[in-house]
Each structure stands twice: as C-alpha cells, then as structure tokens.
Amino acid sequence: MPGYTHLEGLTSADIARLRATYAPLAESVRHLIDATIRSEVDADEVAAVKADIDRATARLQAKQIDGPFGVRFTSDGDRLPWGNPAIGLRNPIAPPLVMVKDPDGAIHTDFHLGAAYEGPPGHVHGGIVAMVLDHVLGEVAASDPDSPRFTGTLTIRYLRATPLGALHAEGRITRTDGIKAFASGRVSDADGVTAEADGVFILPKWARR
Amino acid sequence: MPGYTHLEGLTSADIARLRATYAPLAESVRHLIDATIRSEVDADEVAAVKADIDRATARLQAKQIDGPFGVRFTSDGDRLPWGNPAIGLRNPIAPPLVMVKDPDGAIHTDFHLGAAYEGPPGHVHGGIVAMVLDHVLGEVAASDPDSPRFTGTLTIRYLRATPLGALHAEGRITRTDGIKAFASGRVSDADGVTAEADGVFILPKWARR
C-alpha cells in the first residue's frame, strides 16, 4: 500500500526526539489559527505579521517531505499518524484528539474545541462533530493494526447543538461479521449526549487474507 | 440568538477592506499548516521558527474579539461566516470551500485538499469528507437566510477512498416537509463519485414562525 512508510532504524528515542521537536510547533500554529480568526489589529499590522509568517513557512519548507505525511511505522511497529487531521500531533488542524483504549475494548477521548471549529455561533460545526465521530468509530473498528478497516457507512444523529469547549467522545464495536465491523459512538458535553453515530467499517481488499 | 452579531454601519466597502486584510493572512497560515506537517528541518531551526510564530500570534492577539467569531451580518443583511471551518475565509482550517448556487437551486463547490486533510495515505480523512458533505447539504437546506436549518441526521456512504487533490462536491434539496428539509449530495474526483450523503435538516425552534 503506497504511503505506508516504514522508518527502519528509528529507535523509540528517535521517535521521542521527533515528537519533542514537532509537537510544540504544531501547538504554536494552533494558537496562531485561533488568533487569525479572532484578531482585530489593523491592516498594516496584519500585513507585517503575514510577512513574518511567510518567512517562517519558507524556513520550514527548506527541507520537507515530498507529498503528504502518510502513515509512518517505526521498526518496532509503532504507528505515527502525525499528519492526521483528527489525531495528528504534527497537524495544526487536529485538536488533536488523544484516544484512550478502555479495558473492555471501547475507546474514548476528552478534548476541547475552540473558535477554529465553530459553525453555529458558540457551537461546534456539525461537520466537525461528524469528523470526531468518524474518527472515533474508525479507530475502534480498526483496533487491530493488521486489519485496518475503512468507513463504509456512517450515520449521525444530531440531538442538539454541541457547544464549543470541553467535550467527550466514545465509541465501541457492537458486532463484527467477516470483513465488516459495526460500531456506535457519541459526543457529549457536561450536560449529556449531543450527537450519536452508527458506522459500518470494512476491511479493504488489500488487507484481506 | 446569541452570537449572531449585526455589524451596523459597516458598508460594502468596509467589508471588502476587512476581506482584503484578513483573507491573505489566513491563506498564509494555510501554507504554514502544510509546512508544519511536512517539514524535515532540524530541531534548532524548528525551535527558532516556533519562537517567530509565537511572536506573530502575540501581535495578532494584541486586539481581538472576545470569544469565537460567530456569524456576523452587515446592515445590508450580508452574512459573514468568516470563522467557519468549512467556508470561513478567516479560518486557516477551512480549505475554504466556495459555494456556488446553481440556477436550479442546487449548490456545488470545486476545491483542493492537501496534506492537512489526509487520513489513509494519499487520501482524504473520512471525517473531512463528512464535514464537506455536512456543510454542502446544510448550506443547500438553509438557502433561505431567514430559515436557518440545522442538521438532524446525516448518512454518508463511502464508495471508495477519496484521493487528495482536486475535488468536487454538490448538494440539492430533494424534498421539504414543514420544519424539515431532505437533502442529498456527493463528493467526486475526476474519476467519479467517491462518497454520497443524505441528510435531514430541521428549522430550530427559535427560528420558527
């Protein structure tokens, strides 16, 4: 499968070093995204800041991966989905979601969404809610790294608007049937569930044995 | 409805000036996001760039909106959803999608997704496909600005992985029934449809007359 790069020879210490280098950069860019949306400084100041950002971008581009990040594996088999827009620690678009596996096989994540994820005023864009649920359900359905499953069908029921701020999402497999896994999940705030989802996830042909 | 701010007194020229100020900044931050994911420069250089970005963020934060952007309206009734993560011209997370209304009431958008939207290697994250479909369907269902409808249920069928690159999405209302609108849509690449969606959109209580 193209794009699944094995980083042979990278030790756990190398991975830790790369994480310590790039995670703080992405976090800084997340703050910049928020400020870009909310700033009220004048046009001259915005133009000056834009020029600084363009210079910063050029410095980062001096040496870069050819193409998107892909999913990289270490020689120990660790997965590094660092470019992922839901969980990628190098992707400033990602909140990033941190997935926690529960003893019973379910997965949950506690996260915070700010101005960058706003649809209806003060509330999370319905499409971002969909992205969170797609990712949580996909992750629980693909919990066996040798059997990556991709989303077949995803149905989301929006019970009420999801407020910006502290949120929780969780998912679990409800049933498997050959190449299919059925998963369900939900997003909630402190007052309860705001959206529910059911998904059917399918093992791709290239991964079937 | 809190968060729907009317910017009384802002003329079309003021809006054009604000757009010319902030849209290029967001576009620069989009390039920075891409470079943040793909850069391979060394740790010292990343740390130096991070410090520059933190300074840029602080300059933008010197004067900023208290809270998220919301949806702002001009005195002419023009909607400014500039902070929106799908279409917001001030939101670096947004591609941004540019929605085009067709004569028959359908809506379409042609857009490009790069490294920041990658899930499976070389392909768009399923949750980003969901976000695009949620937004396109929601926009077509809410095409009357006095009757904003919010997503009730959204079902997405992923036919095949959506490659990164040039993409097209479209949506149309298939039926309305009182406070509900039924919409369907799809995402496609040059080779055809990659994902389809059906949605039920509901007029919120506060907007019912």
Side-chain angles (χ1 to χ4, degrees), chain B residues 50-136:
Chain B
K50 177 190 180 302
D52 284 347
I53 291 167
D54 289 341
R55 274 187 290 272
T57 300
R59 288 175 73 174
L60 292 175
Q61 289 173 332
K63 185 182 175 197
Q64 66 177 4
I65 298 163
D66 183 24
F69 192 83
V71 175
R72 282 139 199 269
F73 290 92
T74 67
S75 46
D76 298 334
D78 288 329
R79 215 163 139 255
L80 302 180
W82 287 356
N84 189 287
I87 61 170
L89 67 86
R90 282 191 61 169
N91 190 338
I93 284 184
L97 304 181
V98 177
M99 299 291 171
V100 181
K101 291 194 185 184
D102 303 326
D104 66 353
I107 281 181
H108 75 268
T109 176
D110 291 288
F111 56 104
H112 183 279
L113 297 182
Y117 305 99
E118 185 185 42
H123 294 83
V124 182
H125 189 289
I128 297 292
V129 172
M131 183 179 79
V132 169
L133 286 166
D134 174 88
H135 196 93
V136 169

Coordinates of all heavy atoms in Angstrom, one line a residue, chain B residues 50-136:
Chain B
K50 N 9.3 28.3 15.6 CA 8.2 28.3 16.6 C 8.2 29.6 17.4 O 7.2 30.2 17.6 CB 8.4 27.1 17.6 CG 7.4 27.1 18.7 CD 7.7 26.1 19.8 CE 6.6 26.1 20.9 NZ 6.4 27.4 21.5
A51 N 9.4 30.1 17.8 CA 9.5 31.4 18.5 C 9.0 32.6 17.7 O 8.3 33.4 18.2 CB 10.9 31.7 19.0
D52 N 9.3 32.5 16.4 CA 8.8 33.6 15.5 C 7.2 33.5 15.4 O 6.6 34.5 15.3 CB 9.4 33.4 14.0 CG 10.8 33.8 14.0 OD1 11.3 34.5 14.9 OD2 11.5 33.5 12.9
I53 N 6.7 32.3 15.3 CA 5.3 32.1 15.2 C 4.6 32.6 16.5 O 3.6 33.3 16.4 CB 4.9 30.6 14.9 CG1 5.4 30.3 13.5 CG2 3.4 30.4 15.1 CD1 5.4 28.8 13.2
D54 N 5.2 32.3 17.6 CA 4.6 32.7 18.9 C 4.6 34.3 19.0 O 3.6 34.9 19.5 CB 5.4 32.2 20.1 CG 5.2 30.7 20.3 OD1 4.2 30.2 19.7 OD2 6.0 30.0 20.9
R55 N 5.6 34.9 18.4 CA 5.6 36.4 18.4 C 4.5 36.9 17.5 O 3.9 37.9 17.8 CB 7.0 36.9 17.9 CG 8.0 37.0 19.1 CD 9.3 37.7 18.6 NE 10.1 36.9 17.7 CZ 11.0 36.0 18.1 NH1 11.2 35.8 19.4 NH2 11.7 35.3 17.3
A56 N 4.4 36.3 16.3 CA 3.3 36.7 15.4 C 1.9 36.5 16.0 O 1.1 37.4 15.9 CB 3.4 35.8 14.1
T57 N 1.7 35.4 16.7 CA 0.4 35.2 17.4 C 0.2 36.3 18.4 O -0.9 36.8 18.5 CB 0.4 33.8 18.1 OG1 0.7 32.8 17.1 CG2 -0.9 33.5 18.8
A58 N 1.2 36.6 19.2 CA 1.0 37.7 20.3 C 0.7 39.0 19.6 O -0.2 39.8 20.2 CB 2.3 37.8 21.1
R59 N 1.2 39.3 18.5 CA 0.9 40.6 17.8 C -0.6 40.6 17.4 O -1.2 41.6 17.5 CB 1.8 40.8 16.6 CG 3.2 41.2 17.0 CD 4.2 41.3 15.8 NE 3.9 42.5 15.0 CZ 4.7 42.8 13.9 NH1 5.7 42.1 13.6 NH2 4.4 43.9 13.3
L60 N -1.0 39.5 16.8 CA -2.4 39.4 16.4 C -3.4 39.4 17.6 O -4.5 40.0 17.5 CB -2.7 38.1 15.6 CG -2.0 38.0 14.3 CD1 -2.2 36.6 13.7 CD2 -2.5 39.1 13.3
Q61 N -2.9 38.9 18.8 CA -3.8 38.8 19.9 C -3.8 40.2 20.7 O -4.6 40.3 21.6 CB -3.3 37.8 20.9 CG -3.5 36.3 20.4 CD -2.9 35.3 21.3 OE1 -1.8 35.5 21.9 NE2 -3.4 34.1 21.3
A62 N -3.0 41.1 20.3 CA -2.9 42.4 21.0 C -4.3 43.1 21.0 O -4.6 43.8 22.0 CB -1.9 43.4 20.3
K63 N -5.1 42.8 20.0 CA -6.5 43.3 20.0 C -7.3 42.2 19.3 O -7.1 41.9 18.1 CB -6.6 44.6 19.2 CG -8.0 45.3 19.3 CD -8.1 46.5 18.5 CE -9.5 47.1 18.5 NZ -9.7 48.0 17.4
Q64 N -8.2 41.6 20.0 CA -9.0 40.5 19.4 C -10.4 40.4 19.9 O -10.8 40.9 21.0 CB -8.3 39.2 19.5 CG -8.1 38.6 20.9 CD -7.4 37.3 20.9 OE1 -7.0 36.8 19.9 NE2 -7.4 36.7 22.1
I65 N -11.3 39.8 19.1 CA -12.6 39.5 19.5 C -12.7 38.7 20.8 O -11.8 37.8 21.0 CB -13.3 38.7 18.4 CG1 -13.4 39.5 17.1 CG2 -14.7 38.3 18.8 CD1 -13.7 38.6 15.9
D66 N -13.6 39.0 21.7 CA -13.7 38.3 22.9 C -14.6 37.0 22.6 O -15.8 37.1 22.4 CB -14.4 39.1 24.0 CG -14.5 38.4 25.3 OD1 -13.7 37.5 25.6 OD2 -15.4 38.8 26.1
G67 N -13.9 35.9 22.5 CA -14.7 34.6 22.2 C -14.6 34.3 20.7 O -13.8 34.9 20.0
P68 N -15.3 33.3 20.3 CA -15.2 32.9 18.9 C -15.8 33.9 17.9 O -16.5 34.9 18.4 CB -16.0 31.6 18.8 CG -16.9 31.6 20.0 CD -16.3 32.5 21.0
F69 N -15.7 33.7 16.6 CA -16.0 34.7 15.7 C -17.6 34.9 15.6 O -18.1 36.0 15.4 CB -15.5 34.4 14.3 CG -15.6 35.5 13.3 CD1 -14.6 36.5 13.2 CD2 -16.6 35.5 12.4 CE1 -14.7 37.5 12.3 CE2 -16.7 36.5 11.4 CZ -15.7 37.5 11.4
G70 N -18.3 33.8 15.7 CA -19.7 33.9 15.5 C -20.1 34.0 14.0 O -19.2 33.9 13.2
V71 N -21.3 34.4 13.8 CA -21.7 34.7 12.4 C -22.2 36.1 12.4 O -23.0 36.5 13.2 CB -22.9 33.8 11.9 CG1 -23.3 34.2 10.5 CG2 -22.5 32.3 11.9
R72 N -21.5 37.0 11.6 CA -21.8 38.4 11.6 C -22.6 38.8 10.4 O -22.4 38.2 9.3 CB -20.5 39.2 11.7 CG -19.9 39.2 13.2 CD -18.5 39.0 13.3 NE -18.1 38.5 14.6 CZ -17.9 39.4 15.6 NH1 -17.8 40.7 15.4 NH2 -17.6 38.9 16.8
F73 N -23.5 39.7 10.6 CA -24.2 40.2 9.4 C -23.9 41.7 9.3 O -23.8 42.4 10.3 CB -25.7 40.0 9.7 CG -26.2 38.6 9.7 CD1 -26.3 37.9 10.9 CD2 -26.7 38.0 8.5 CE1 -26.7 36.6 10.9 CE2 -27.1 36.7 8.5 CZ -27.1 36.0 9.7
T74 N -23.9 42.1 8.1 CA -23.8 43.6 7.8 C -25.2 44.2 7.9 O -26.2 43.5 7.9 CB -23.2 43.8 6.4 OG1 -24.2 43.4 5.5 CG2 -21.9 43.1 6.2
S75 N -25.2 45.5 7.8 CA -26.5 46.2 7.9 C -27.3 45.9 6.6 O -28.5 46.1 6.5 CB -26.3 47.7 8.1 OG -25.3 48.2 7.2
D76 N -26.6 45.5 5.5 CA -27.3 45.1 4.3 C -27.8 43.7 4.4 O -28.4 43.2 3.4 CB -26.3 45.2 3.1 CG -25.8 46.6 2.9 OD1 -26.5 47.5 3.3 OD2 -24.7 46.7 2.3
G77 N -27.5 43.0 5.5 CA -28.0 41.6 5.6 C -27.0 40.6 5.0 O -27.3 39.4 5.0
D78 N -25.9 41.0 4.6 CA -24.9 40.0 4.1 C -24.3 39.2 5.3 O -24.0 39.8 6.4 CB -23.7 40.8 3.5 CG -24.1 41.3 2.1 OD1 -25.0 40.7 1.4 OD2 -23.5 42.4 1.7
R79 N -24.2 37.9 5.1 CA -23.7 37.0 6.1 C -22.2 36.9 6.0 O -21.7 36.8 4.9 CB -24.3 35.7 5.9 CG -24.7 34.9 7.1 CD -25.6 33.8 6.7 NE -25.3 32.5 7.3 CZ -24.7 31.5 6.8 NH1 -24.4 31.5 5.5 NH2 -24.4 30.4 7.5
L80 N -21.5 37.0 7.1 CA -20.0 36.9 7.1 C -19.6 35.7 8.0 O -19.2 35.9 9.1 CB -19.4 38.2 7.7 CG -19.7 39.5 7.0 CD1 -19.0 40.6 7.7 CD2 -19.3 39.4 5.5
P81 N -19.7 34.5 7.5 CA -19.3 33.3 8.3 C -17.9 33.1 8.2 O -17.4 32.0 7.8 CB -20.2 32.2 7.7 CG -20.3 32.6 6.2 CD -20.2 34.1 6.2
W82 N -17.1 34.1 8.5 CA -15.6 34.1 8.2 C -14.8 33.1 9.1 O -13.7 32.8 8.8 CB -15.1 35.5 8.2 CG -15.5 36.3 7.1 CD1 -16.2 35.9 6.0 CD2 -15.2 37.7 6.8 NE1 -16.4 37.0 5.1 CE2 -15.8 38.1 5.6 CE3 -14.4 38.7 7.5 CZ2 -15.6 39.3 5.1 CZ3 -14.3 39.9 7.0 CH2 -14.9 40.3 5.8
G83 N -15.4 32.7 10.2 CA -14.7 31.8 11.1 C -15.0 30.4 10.9 O -14.4 29.5 11.6
N84 N -15.9 30.1 10.0 CA -16.4 28.7 9.7 C -15.3 27.8 9.3 O -14.5 28.1 8.3 CB -17.5 28.8 8.7 CG -18.3 27.5 8.6 OD1 -17.7 26.6 8.0 ND2 -19.5 27.4 9.1
P85 N -15.2 26.6 9.9 CA -14.1 25.6 9.5 C -14.3 25.0 8.1 O -13.4 24.3 7.6 CB -14.1 24.6 10.6 CG -15.5 24.6 11.1 CD -16.0 26.0 11.0
A86 N -15.4 25.2 7.4 CA -15.6 24.7 6.1 C -15.4 25.8 5.1 O -14.8 25.6 4.0 CB -17.0 24.0 5.9
I87 N -16.0 27.0 5.3 CA -16.1 28.0 4.3 C -15.4 29.3 4.8 O -15.4 30.3 4.0 CB -17.5 28.3 3.9 CG1 -18.4 28.8 5.1 CG2 -18.2 27.1 3.3 CD1 -19.7 29.4 4.7
G88 N -15.0 29.4 6.0 CA -14.5 30.7 6.6 C -13.2 31.2 6.0 O -12.2 30.6 6.1
L89 N -13.3 32.4 5.3 CA -12.1 32.9 4.7 C -11.1 33.4 5.7 O -9.9 33.6 5.4 CB -12.5 34.0 3.7 CG -13.1 35.3 4.2 CD1 -12.0 36.3 4.5 CD2 -13.9 35.9 3.0
R90 N -11.5 33.6 7.0 CA -10.5 33.9 8.0 C -10.1 32.7 8.8 O -9.3 32.8 9.8 CB -11.1 34.9 9.0 CG -11.1 36.3 8.4 CD -11.5 37.3 9.5 NE -10.5 37.4 10.6 CZ -10.5 38.3 11.5 NH1 -11.4 39.3 11.5 NH2 -9.6 38.2 12.5
N91 N -10.6 31.5 8.5 CA -10.3 30.3 9.3 C -9.3 29.4 8.5 O -9.6 28.8 7.5 CB -11.5 29.5 9.6 CG -11.2 28.3 10.6 OD1 -10.1 27.9 10.7 ND2 -12.3 27.9 11.2
P92 N -8.0 29.4 8.9 CA -7.0 28.6 8.2 C -7.3 27.1 8.1 O -6.7 26.4 7.3 CB -5.7 28.8 9.0 CG -6.0 30.1 9.7 CD -7.4 30.1 10.1
I93 N -8.2 26.6 9.0 CA -8.6 25.2 8.9 C -9.4 24.9 7.7 O -9.4 23.8 7.1 CB -9.4 24.8 10.2 CG1 -8.4 24.7 11.4 CG2 -10.2 23.6 10.0 CD1 -9.0 24.2 12.6
A94 N -10.2 25.9 7.2 CA -11.1 25.8 6.1 C -10.3 25.8 4.8 O -9.4 26.6 4.6 CB -12.1 27.0 6.1
P95 N -10.7 24.9 3.8 CA -9.9 24.8 2.6 C -9.8 26.2 1.9 O -8.7 26.4 1.3 CB -10.7 23.8 1.8 CG -11.4 23.0 2.8 CD -11.7 23.9 4.0
P96 N -10.6 27.2 1.9 CA -12.0 27.2 2.3 C -12.9 26.8 1.1 O -12.5 27.1 -0.1 CB -12.3 28.6 2.6 CG -11.4 29.4 1.7 CD -10.2 28.5 1.5
L97 N -14.0 26.1 1.3 CA -15.0 25.8 0.3 C -15.6 27.1 -0.2 O -16.0 27.9 0.6 CB -16.1 24.8 0.8 CG -15.6 23.5 1.4 CD1 -16.8 22.7 1.8 CD2 -14.7 22.7 0.4
V98 N -15.8 27.2 -1.5 CA -16.5 28.4 -2.1 C -17.8 27.8 -2.7 O -17.7 27.0 -3.7 CB -15.7 29.1 -3.1 CG1 -16.5 30.2 -3.7 CG2 -14.4 29.7 -2.5
M99 N -18.9 28.1 -2.1 CA -20.2 27.5 -2.6 C -20.8 28.3 -3.7 O -20.8 29.6 -3.7 CB -21.2 27.6 -1.4 CG -20.8 26.8 -0.2 SD -20.8 25.0 -0.6 CE -20.0 24.4 1.0
V100 N -21.2 27.6 -4.8 CA -21.8 28.3 -5.9 C -23.2 27.8 -6.1 O -23.5 26.6 -6.1 CB -21.0 27.9 -7.2 CG1 -21.6 28.6 -8.4 CG2 -19.6 28.3 -7.1
K101 N -24.2 28.7 -6.1 CA -25.6 28.4 -6.3 C -25.9 28.2 -7.7 O -25.6 29.1 -8.6 CB -26.5 29.4 -5.7 CG -26.4 29.5 -4.2 CD -27.5 30.3 -3.5 CE -27.2 30.4 -2.0 NZ -28.3 31.0 -1.3
D102 N -26.5 27.0 -8.1 CA -26.9 26.8 -9.5 C -28.3 27.3 -9.7 O -29.0 27.5 -8.8 CB -26.8 25.3 -9.7 CG -25.5 24.7 -9.4 OD1 -24.4 25.4 -9.6 OD2 -25.4 23.5 -8.9
P103 N -28.6 27.6 -11.0 CA -29.9 28.2 -11.3 C -31.1 27.3 -10.8 O -32.1 27.8 -10.4 CB -29.9 28.2 -12.8 CG -28.5 28.3 -13.2 CD -27.8 27.5 -12.2
D104 N -30.9 26.0 -10.7 CA -32.0 25.1 -10.3 C -32.0 24.9 -8.8 O -32.8 24.1 -8.3 CB -31.8 23.7 -11.0 CG -30.5 23.0 -10.5 OD1 -29.7 23.6 -9.7 OD2 -30.4 21.8 -10.8
G105 N -31.2 25.7 -8.0 CA -31.3 25.6 -6.6 C -30.3 24.7 -5.9 O -30.1 24.7 -4.7
A106 N -29.6 23.9 -6.7 CA -28.5 23.1 -6.2 C -27.3 24.0 -5.8 O -27.3 25.1 -6.2 CB -28.1 22.0 -7.2
I107 N -26.4 23.4 -5.1 CA -25.2 24.1 -4.7 C -24.0 23.2 -5.1 O -24.1 22.0 -4.9 CB -25.2 24.4 -3.2 CG1 -26.0 25.6 -2.9 CG2 -23.8 24.6 -2.7 CD1 -26.1 26.1 -1.5
H108 N -22.9 23.8 -5.6 CA -21.7 23.0 -5.8 C -20.5 23.7 -5.4 O -20.5 25.0 -5.2 CB -21.6 22.5 -7.3 CG -21.2 23.6 -8.2 ND1 -22.1 24.4 -8.9 CD2 -20.0 24.0 -8.7 CE1 -21.4 25.2 -9.7 NE2 -20.2 25.0 -9.5
T109 N -19.4 23.0 -5.3 CA -18.1 23.6 -4.9 C -17.0 22.8 -5.5 O -17.0 21.6 -5.4 CB -18.0 23.8 -3.4 OG1 -16.7 24.3 -3.0 CG2 -18.2 22.5 -2.6
D110 N -16.0 23.5 -6.0 CA -14.8 22.8 -6.5 C -13.7 23.3 -5.6 O -13.5 24.5 -5.3 CB -14.5 23.2 -8.0 CG -15.5 22.6 -8.9 OD1 -15.5 21.4 -9.1 OD2 -16.4 23.4 -9.4
F111 N -12.9 22.3 -5.1 CA -11.9 22.6 -4.1 C -10.7 21.7 -4.2 O -10.7 20.7 -4.9 CB -12.5 22.6 -2.7 CG -13.2 21.3 -2.4 CD1 -12.6 20.4 -1.5 CD2 -14.4 21.0 -2.9 CE1 -13.2 19.2 -1.2 CE2 -15.1 19.7 -2.6 CZ -14.4 18.8 -1.8
H112 N -9.7 22.0 -3.4 CA -8.5 21.2 -3.4 C -8.1 20.9 -2.0 O -8.1 21.7 -1.1 CB -7.3 22.0 -4.1 CG -6.0 21.3 -4.2 ND1 -5.2 21.1 -3.1 CD2 -5.5 20.6 -5.2 CE1 -4.1 20.4 -3.5 NE2 -4.3 20.1 -4.8
L113 N -7.8 19.6 -1.7 CA -7.4 19.2 -0.3 C -6.0 18.6 -0.4 O -5.7 17.7 -1.2 CB -8.4 18.2 0.2 CG -9.8 18.6 0.5 CD1 -10.7 17.5 1.1 CD2 -9.9 19.9 1.3
G114 N -5.1 19.2 0.5 CA -3.7 18.7 0.5 C -3.4 18.0 1.8 O -4.3 17.4 2.5
A115 N -2.1 18.0 2.2 CA -1.6 17.2 3.3 C -2.4 17.3 4.6 O -2.5 16.4 5.4 CB -0.1 17.5 3.5
A116 N -2.9 18.5 4.8 CA -3.6 18.8 6.1 C -4.9 18.0 6.3 O -5.4 17.9 7.4 CB -3.9 20.3 6.3
Y117 N -5.4 17.4 5.2 CA -6.7 16.7 5.3 C -6.5 15.2 5.1 O -7.5 14.5 4.9 CB -7.6 17.3 4.3 CG -7.8 18.8 4.4 CD1 -7.1 19.7 3.6 CD2 -8.6 19.3 5.4 CE1 -7.2 21.1 3.8 CE2 -8.7 20.7 5.6 CZ -8.0 21.6 4.8 OH -8.1 22.9 5.0
E118 N -5.3 14.7 5.2 CA -5.0 13.3 4.9 C -5.4 12.3 6.0 O -5.0 12.5 7.2 CB -3.5 13.2 4.6 CG -3.1 11.8 4.2 CD -1.6 11.7 4.0 OE1 -0.8 12.2 4.9 OE2 -1.1 11.0 3.0
G119 N -6.1 11.3 5.7 CA -6.4 10.2 6.6 C -5.5 9.0 6.2 O -4.3 8.9 6.4
P120 N -6.2 8.0 5.4 CA -5.4 7.0 4.8 C -4.3 7.6 3.9 O -4.6 8.6 3.2 CB -6.4 6.2 4.0 CG -7.7 6.5 4.6 CD -7.6 7.9 5.1
P121 N -3.1 7.1 3.8 CA -2.1 7.7 3.0 C -2.5 8.1 1.6 O -3.1 7.3 0.8 CB -1.0 6.6 2.9 CG -1.2 5.9 4.2 CD -2.7 5.8 4.5
G122 N -2.3 9.4 1.2 CA -2.7 9.9 -0.1 C -4.1 10.2 -0.3 O -4.5 10.6 -1.3
H123 N -4.9 9.9 0.8 CA -6.4 10.1 0.6 C -7.0 10.9 1.7 O -6.4 11.1 2.8 CB -7.0 8.7 0.7 CG -6.7 7.9 -0.6 ND1 -5.5 7.1 -0.6 CD2 -7.3 7.7 -1.7 CE1 -5.5 6.5 -1.8 NE2 -6.6 6.9 -2.5
V124 N -8.1 11.5 1.5 CA -8.8 12.4 2.4 C -9.3 11.6 3.6 O -9.9 10.5 3.4 CB -10.0 13.1 1.7 CG1 -10.6 14.1 2.7 CG2 -9.5 13.8 0.5
H125 N -9.1 12.1 4.8 CA -9.7 11.6 6.0 C -11.2 11.5 5.8 O -11.9 12.4 5.4 CB -9.4 12.5 7.2 CG -9.7 11.9 8.6 ND1 -11.0 11.7 9.0 CD2 -8.9 11.5 9.6 CE1 -11.0 11.2 10.2 NE2 -9.8 11.0 10.6
G126 N -11.8 10.3 6.2 CA -13.3 10.1 6.1 C -14.1 11.2 6.8 O -15.2 11.6 6.4
G127 N -13.5 11.7 7.9 CA -14.2 12.7 8.7 C -14.2 14.1 7.9 O -15.1 14.9 8.1
I128 N -13.2 14.3 7.1 CA -13.2 15.5 6.3 C -14.2 15.4 5.2 O -14.9 16.4 4.9 CB -11.8 15.8 5.8 CG1 -10.8 16.1 7.0 CG2 -11.8 17.0 4.8 CD1 -11.0 17.3 7.8
V129 N -14.3 14.3 4.6 CA -15.3 14.0 3.6 C -16.7 14.3 4.2 O -17.6 14.9 3.6 CB -15.2 12.6 3.0 CG1 -16.4 12.3 2.1 CG2 -13.9 12.4 2.3
A130 N -16.9 13.8 5.5 CA -18.2 14.0 6.2 C -18.4 15.5 6.4 O -19.5 16.0 6.3 CB -18.1 13.2 7.5
M131 N -17.4 16.2 6.8 CA -17.5 17.7 7.0 C -17.9 18.4 5.8 O -18.8 19.2 5.8 CB -16.2 18.3 7.6 CG -16.4 19.8 7.9 SD -15.0 20.6 8.6 CE -14.0 20.8 7.1
V132 N -17.3 18.1 4.6 CA -17.7 18.7 3.4 C -19.1 18.4 3.0 O -19.9 19.3 2.7 CB -16.7 18.2 2.2 CG1 -17.3 18.7 0.9 CG2 -15.3 18.7 2.5
L133 N -19.5 17.2 3.2 CA -20.9 16.8 2.9 C -21.9 17.4 3.8 O -23.0 17.9 3.4 CB -21.1 15.3 2.8 CG -20.4 14.6 1.6 CD1 -20.3 13.1 1.8 CD2 -21.3 14.9 0.3
D134 N -21.6 17.4 5.1 CA -22.4 18.1 6.1 C -22.6 19.6 5.7 O -23.7 20.1 5.7 CB -21.8 18.0 7.5 CG -22.6 18.8 8.5 OD1 -23.5 18.3 9.1 OD2 -22.3 20.0 8.7
H135 N -21.5 20.2 5.3 CA -21.6 21.6 5.0 C -22.4 21.9 3.8 O -23.3 22.8 3.7 CB -20.3 22.3 5.0 CG -20.5 23.8 5.1 ND1 -20.4 24.5 6.2 CD2 -20.8 24.7 4.1 CE1 -20.7 25.8 6.0 NE2 -20.9 25.9 4.7
V136 N -22.1 21.2 2.7 CA -22.8 21.4 1.4 C -24.3 21.1 1.6 O -25.1 21.9 1.1 CB -22.2 20.4 0.3 CG1 -23.1 20.4 -0.9 CG2 -20.8 20.9 0.0

